[in-house]
Amino acid sequence: MPAKIAAYDDFVNSTDEINHLLAARPSSPLMPRAEDAVRLENAVHRACLVLLVAHFEGFAKAALREYVDEICAVRPPARKVPPAFLELFTRERIQEIASLSPGEERVNRTRRLFSGFSGLWDDERSIDPRVISSKILARQMTSLRPDVLREAFALIGISDIIHEATEALHIDGFSIRVDVKLEEIVNKRNLIAHGDYSVKPTSAELEGYVEFFMSVGGAFSEIVAKAIDGACTLRPSR
């Protein structure tokens, strides 16, 4: 069985919250339901969709943080880590320094930049955990839009996580385009979050969305696990 990352198990467990919320819906009697019962069911379904998207976004960010955590634990040589990953942290510090007014602090931080970050660009030196940050990497993922996901995961060496996930699902028998489905779900979530009461997901739609995110999450998990393994295959002696 392909390896999965810990963040995926956390995501699966988080969906229990959605099941608890669904349990709060009124039962469906054989006779027509009161208007209040219908409104409550719609409210529960809308809340479930917002929660589901939030949990999956949290999973995606946790996957990026897990990559950084593994890099920090193993400390592979810089040549094993994507250049875009190294550039991200160097650029963040350069931008911080550039925002400072001329003076002693800017001089000192520039000096520390060259002494602390030069190792990131020496192929054979081990990555220094003090100069990379899981928070900075996770911050690059600002939404579940397919283009945002592609850009964020490209930083850890995954050329197109959306395409790879789509291909993985096709192999498993799911004929679906991940980018199209993501856009559909995220658009609905955004409409709900902005107060559009016309968006009323049905039970069947919610079940399909949960199944979709479980499948995509599993694919993402395996893809990220491979990226971690690719960066951490040369493990230093302890």
Side-chain angles (χ1 to χ4, degrees), residues 31-45:
M31 63 184 65
R33 289 176 297 163
E35 184 177 351
D36 285 349
V38 174
R39 287 179 177 176
L40 176 57
E41 183 176 77
N42 287 335
V44 169
H45 288 173

Side-chain angles (χ1 to χ4, degrees), residues 19 34 61 75 123 144 181 224 235:
N19 294 328
K61 290 184 177 183
R75 300 186 64 181
D123 284 351
L144 286 184
K181 197 66 175 179
V224 173
R235 298 176 181 268

Side-chain angles (χ1 to χ4, degrees), residues 30-91:
L30 296 178
M31 63 184 65
R33 289 176 297 163
E35 184 177 351
D36 285 349
V38 174
R39 287 179 177 176
L40 176 57
E41 183 176 77
N42 287 335
V44 169
H45 288 173
R46 285 160 58 84
C48 284
L49 180 56
V50 172
L51 271 178
L52 179 60
V53 172
H55 283 316
F56 192 81
E57 185 172 334
F59 155 71
K61 290 184 177 183
L64 293 171
R65 288 194 295 267
E66 193 164 334
Y67 179 91
V68 176
D69 290 343
E70 289 294 323
I71 294 295
C72 290
V74 176
R75 300 186 64 181
R79 61 182 167 79
K80 299 289 292 182
V81 182
F85 178 85
L86 305 177
E87 187 271 341
L88 170 66
F89 301 108
T90 308
R91 170 166 40 89

Side-chain angles (χ1 to χ4, degrees), residues 27-228:
S27 58
S28 300
L30 296 178
M31 63 184 65
R33 289 176 297 163
E35 184 177 351
D36 285 349
V38 174
R39 287 179 177 176
L40 176 57
E41 183 176 77
N42 287 335
V44 169
H45 288 173
R46 285 160 58 84
C48 284
L49 180 56
V50 172
L51 271 178
L52 179 60
V53 172
H55 283 316
F56 192 81
E57 185 172 334
F59 155 71
K61 290 184 177 183
L64 293 171
R65 288 194 295 267
E66 193 164 334
Y67 179 91
V68 176
D69 290 343
E70 289 294 323
I71 294 295
C72 290
V74 176
R75 300 186 64 181
R79 61 182 167 79
K80 299 289 292 182
V81 182
F85 178 85
L86 305 177
E87 187 271 341
L88 170 66
F89 301 108
T90 308
R91 170 166 40 89
E92 283 275 333
R93 292 303 171 88
I94 291 173
Q95 290 172 339
E96 289 175 5
I97 293 170
S99 68
L100 297 174
S101 300
E104 184 176 353
E105 183 182 2
R106 192 166 77 176
V107 171
N108 290 336
R109 292 184 67 171
T110 301
R111 183 183 295 113
R112 289 198 299 270
L113 170 70
F114 282 93
S115 61
F117 284 77
S118 60
L120 288 181
W121 303 100
D122 182 339
D123 284 351
E124 298 307 320
R125 284 183 63 177
S126 296
I127 294 296
D128 184 349
R130 294 174 298 179
V131 299
I132 62 177
S133 165
S134 60
K135 290 182 179 179
I136 290 175
L137 180 60
R139 200 164 64 214
Q140 309 310 304
M141 213 217 76
T142 55
S143 77
L144 286 184
R145 295 290 185 189
D147 57 334
V148 174
L149 287 167
R150 287 188 181 98
E151 291 176 6
F153 283 90
L155 293 170
I156 64 172
I158 300 169
S159 60
D160 187 340
I161 195 166
I162 300 298
H163 174 73
E164 290 189 34
T166 299
E167 290 295 306
L169 293 185
H170 283 178
I171 292 173
D172 290 338
F174 296 95
S175 181
I176 190 169
R177 280 189 55 179
V178 173
D179 55 349
V180 173
K181 197 66 175 179
L182 268 177
E183 289 282 5
E184 173 194 329
I185 298 172
V186 171
N187 284 338
K188 285 187 176 181
R189 177 265 172 200
N190 289 344
L191 289 171
I192 292 172
H194 288 90
D196 187 336
Y197 291 100
S198 68
V199 182
K200 301 172 183 177
T202 65
S203 292
E205 286 175 329
L206 278 175
E207 290 173 5
Y209 294 157
V210 171
E211 181 181 6
F212 168 77
F213 276 127
M214 289 288 191
S215 300
V216 174
F220 275 27
S221 180
E222 292 173 10
I223 294 165
V224 173
K226 290 179 182 177
I228 291 172

